[in-house]
């Protein structure tokens, strides 16, 4: 990403104007947390998990078929998440929210790093890996010790599972309606660090484009929407976002 890269200054003008008018919506994916040391879904699973398909592990079928393996996979991820810190990209989004009268952060991530960075108005489309509930009745569970090799049981006898949305499970009922409203009431949607392959989250940029809302994508790699967005900024969010927000603050 070069400071003079085409469109960045234009993006800053759009964002500065949006801060004092209709506001900004942001959709983030795993790429935003990769500079915090959290592997993305498209990073080949390394080490212990090589050869496993995340979409299979992150599913009710996967859990029923092999609860201990799925439990250990989430416990391993939970350890990485708890050891991680928000990176400059998370912090820049929290700063941009402070500058904007209306701001909604819609995240596909389950690592709570946006919360820890200070973002306030967050919609977690896919839940939160640090919370647990039981498989059968979703009874919430309190503290769960790290390092267990199999899921502990709920008081109702059902095994615990992480409070995330698995493939094949519906999102929380309010998530997409709130996210869609947030996008449609904004004048700029930023799409940051997502391959745009998982539905229904991946529909949000198209909803924005069809409604004439400016869409800005930040990613080191082009994605299925890159040719359709108003500006594609090629680069890591940890470098691009602080630079863009610094330009907004200068305007
Ligand atoms: C649903 C929580 C209705 C869990 C996640 C068959 C049966 C059932 C459903 C389906 C089906 N076929 C299709 C579906 C729909 C399915 C789906 O979309 N499947 C895909 C694979 C085709 N969706 C669902 O199942 C959803 N529910 O539809 O309910 C329903 C109900 C029943 C039956 C039918 C329909 C639920 C989807 C939610 C799944 N849960 N997470 C967990 O975390 O374990 S999804 C999970 O994967 C993440 O949350 C995230 O959303 C997704 C990964 O996407 P990304 O975030 O984009 O990450 P990715 O690794 O792909 O890309 C990273 C990007 O970052 C890359 O572009 C890279 O270039 C970039 N990057 C890298 N470094 C940086 C960077 N960018 C910036 N800076 C950097 N430094």
């Amino acid at each position: 990403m070069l400071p003079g890269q085409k469109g960045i200054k234009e993006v800053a003008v759009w964002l500065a104007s949006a801060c004092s008018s209709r506001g900004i919506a942001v959709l983030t994916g795993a790429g935003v947390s990769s500079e915090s040391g959290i592997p993305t879904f498209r990073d080949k699973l390394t080490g212990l998990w090589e050869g496993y398909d995340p979409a299979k592990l992150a599913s009710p079928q996967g859990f029923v078929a092999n609860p201990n393996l799925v439990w250990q996979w989430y416990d391993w991820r939970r350890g990485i998440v708890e050891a991680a810190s928000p990176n400059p990209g998370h912090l820049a989004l929290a700063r941009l929210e402070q500058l904007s009268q209306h701001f909604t952060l819609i995240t596909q991530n389950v690592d709570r790093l946006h919360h820890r960075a200070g973002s306030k108005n967050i919609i977690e489309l896919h839940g939160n890996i640090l919370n647990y509930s039981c498989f059968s009745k979703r009874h919430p569970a309190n503290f769960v010790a790290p390092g267990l090799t199999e899921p502990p049981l709920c008081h109702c006898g059902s095994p615990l599972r992480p409070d995330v949305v698995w493939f094949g499970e519906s999102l929380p009922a309010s998530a997409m309606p709130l996210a869609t409203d947030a996008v449609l009431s904004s004048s700029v949607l930023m799409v940051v660090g997502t391959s745009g392959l998982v539905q229904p989250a991946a529909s949000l940029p198209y909803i924005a484009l069809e409604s004439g809302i400016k869409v800005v994508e930040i990613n080191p790699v082009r994605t299925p929407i890159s040719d359709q967005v108003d500006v594609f900024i090629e680069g890591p969010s940890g470098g691009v976002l602080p630079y863009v927000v610094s330009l907004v603050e200068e305007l």
Side-chain angles (χ1 to χ4, degrees), residues 184-220:
L184 292 174
S185 59
S186 304
S187 46
V188 181
L189 170 67
M190 300 175 80
V191 182
V192 191
T194 180
S195 59
L197 299 175
V198 173
Q199 295 295 352
S203 63
L204 292 168
Y206 295 100
I207 291 170
L209 288 167
E210 284 154 22
S211 309
I213 290 159
K214 296 280 189 212
V215 180
V216 178
E217 185 182 25
I218 298 172
N219 198 315

Side-chain angles (χ1 to χ4, degrees), residues 33 38-39 41 57-58 70-84 107-113 115-116 124-133 138 141-146 160-166:
S33 295
I38 299 178
F41 269 65
L57 293 173
V70 173
W71 181 267
Q72 291 166 33
W73 183 56
Y74 278 96
D75 191 55
W76 168 69
R77 288 175 61 195
R78 169 184 155 180
I80 293 170
V81 165
E82 286 177 334
T107 189
Q108 300 173 85
N109 299 340
V110 297
D111 57 33
R112 293 246 130 161
L113 287 183
H115 297 79
R116 289 172 55 194
E124 283 181 318
L125 296 178
H126 297 157
N128 160 14
I129 200 170
L130 302 178
N131 283 355
Y132 295 87
S133 57
R138 304 310 296 268
N142 298 322
F143 173 74
V144 172
L160 297 188
R161 51 160 290 172
D163 244 0
V164 298
V165 178
W166 276 334

Side-chain angles (χ1 to χ4, degrees), residues 22-34:
R22 288 168 57 86
I24 299 165
V26 182
L27 172 66
T28 64
V32 163
S33 295
S34 68

Side-chain angles (χ1 to χ4, degrees), residues 92-242:
L93 289 174
R95 176 66 187 138
L96 187 59
E97 180 173 10
Q98 291 171 336
L99 299 173
S100 189
Q101 285 174 19
H102 307 287
F103 187 96
T104 305
L105 178 51
I106 305 157
T107 189
Q108 300 173 85
N109 299 340
V110 297
D111 57 33
R112 293 246 130 161
L113 287 183
H114 287 304
H115 297 79
R116 289 172 55 194
S119 293
K120 301 283 181 244
N121 191 23
I122 301 172
I123 300 173
E124 283 181 318
L125 296 178
H126 297 157
N128 160 14
I129 200 170
L130 302 178
N131 283 355
Y132 295 87
S133 57
C134 75
F135 185 75
S136 307
K137 302 269 187 348
R138 304 310 296 268
H139 291 138
N142 298 322
F143 173 74
V144 172
L148 302 180
T149 55
E150 58 187 70
L153 299 183
C154 172
H155 54 75
C156 73
S158 171
L160 297 188
R161 51 160 290 172
D163 244 0
V164 298
V165 178
W166 276 334
F167 288 100
E169 292 187 323
S170 299
L171 276 56
S174 63
M176 279 304 288
L178 287 173
T180 304
D181 286 350
V183 168
L184 292 174
S185 59
S186 304
S187 46
V188 181
L189 170 67
M190 300 175 80
V191 182
V192 191
T194 180
S195 59
L197 299 175
V198 173
Q199 295 295 352
S203 63
L204 292 168
Y206 295 100
I207 291 170
L209 288 167
E210 284 154 22
S211 309
I213 290 159
K214 296 280 189 212
V215 180
V216 178
E217 185 182 25
I218 298 172
N219 198 315
V221 173
R222 299 187 75 83
T223 72
I225 63 165
S226 301
D227 293 336
Q228 302 171 62
V229 300
D230 296 277
V231 175
F232 173 72
I233 303 174
E234 182 179 345
S237 48
V240 172
L241 284 170

